[in-house]
Amino acid sequence: MASTVRVQAPIGQRALFITTLAVPLTGWTVHAVSLHRKLSAARRDPLTGLLGRDGFTAKARQITDRYGDNALVGIVDLDHFKQINDGPGGHAAGDRVLAATAARLTAWAGSRGAVGRLGGDEFFAFAVRIGPARRELRLAQLATLLAQPVEVDDGALVDVAASVGAACPAILGTRDLSPLLRAADGAMYAGKHTGRAVLAGPQHATVPSINGRRAGRPGTSTLGRAA
């Protein structure tokens, strides 16, 4: 009997010791998960659920490093968006258009791409694994997708249009996100209000800019801390 007691006592002590350790570890795990969720939420746009500037910058750098010349970075600017916000549907209609644009960009970029909202009616989109033979086609598909009318709360259809500029590391000879965004921004304005997406050439990368955006454009103050 005594020997049994001696064997069981250490087992009980070990169980108590493990349980004592597990309690604070479990508490820390819950805290860590909660903190991670809060940080993830802070990196996303509350209206569209898209990545914010910092989250997009970090993801875009990962994609560029991994896929190199098969990566494509784009900037999208909704045309005449102020008219939608000031129209009969007001800001609610504008919010529906922004949410629909976000969903369309996400579908186009795919699960291995990244999409972010710069602010207002401007978006980042990063798609991968687009070879030379398919770049123009995929960009044309994007322009068509973004031009589809959006149904708002009262069932009415709102006409939308978007200007799209894109840049590819293979064409510009760099994987640096800042000149890629600068070129995409320049290409977007080269095709403004034309209804077509423009793929940047070297000439678009020479537009004077601050942090990848033309001087005076929204977002020129910071590219994102991840940069």
Side-chain angles (χ1 to χ4, degrees):
M1 179 67 68
S3 60
T4 302
V5 172
R6 284 195 297 271
V7 171
Q8 290 179 341
I11 295 176
Q13 291 171 1
R14 286 197 298 271
L16 178 61
F17 179 71
I18 293 172
T19 302
T20 303
L21 285 177
V23 171
L25 287 174
T26 301
W28 170 249
T29 301
V30 172
H31 172 71
V33 170
S34 176
L35 181 61
H36 175 72
R37 288 175 178 171
K38 289 179 180 179
L39 290 173
S40 296
R43 291 160 66 91
R44 290 191 176 273
D45 173 59
L47 174 62
T48 63
L50 297 181
L51 293 168
R53 186 191 314 277
D54 291 334
F56 176 83
T57 300
K59 182 67 174 177
R61 289 205 177 283
Q62 293 175 5
I63 291 173
T64 306
D65 290 342
R66 181 173 182 180
Y67 295 103
D69 289 350
N70 286 329
L72 195 68
V73 61
I75 291 181
V76 174
D77 189 10
L78 295 180
D79 297 335
H80 312 299
F81 182 72
K82 188 176 185 301
Q83 295 179 14
I84 298 174
N85 262 341
D86 294 343
H91 289 282
D95 288 348
R96 288 295 295 268
V97 170
L98 291 174
T101 300
R104 292 167 178 178
L105 284 170
T106 299
W108 179 82
S111 60
R112 294 181 179 177
V115 181
R117 184 183 178 198
L118 176 60
D121 58 345
E122 292 190 307
F123 298 86
F124 292 127
F126 214 117
V128 299
R129 291 188 175 178
I130 300 179
R134 300 184 63 236
R135 288 178 194 139
E136 297 285 355
L137 174 61
R138 292 282 279 124
L139 287 173
Q141 290 173 341
L142 176 60
T144 300
L145 181 64
L146 294 176
Q148 300 301 311
V150 175
E151 183 176 342
V152 295
D153 289 337
D154 60 1
L157 292 177
V158 175
D159 290 328
V160 295
S163 297
V164 181
C168 178
I171 296 175
L172 299 181
T174 179
R175 298 183 184 183
D176 188 341
L177 188 59
S178 182
L180 287 172
L181 287 174
R182 177 170 63 246
D185 194 51
M188 178 184 70
Y189 272 87
K192 191 69 175 171
H193 303 304
T194 65
R196 63 185 180 88
V198 178
L199 182 61
Q203 72 276 15
H204 296 111
T206 62
V207 177
S209 69
I210 303 172
N211 291 326
R213 308 304 313 281
R214 292 184 307 110
R217 296 288 298 143
T220 55
S221 58
T222 57
L223 176 62
R225 288 187 295 273

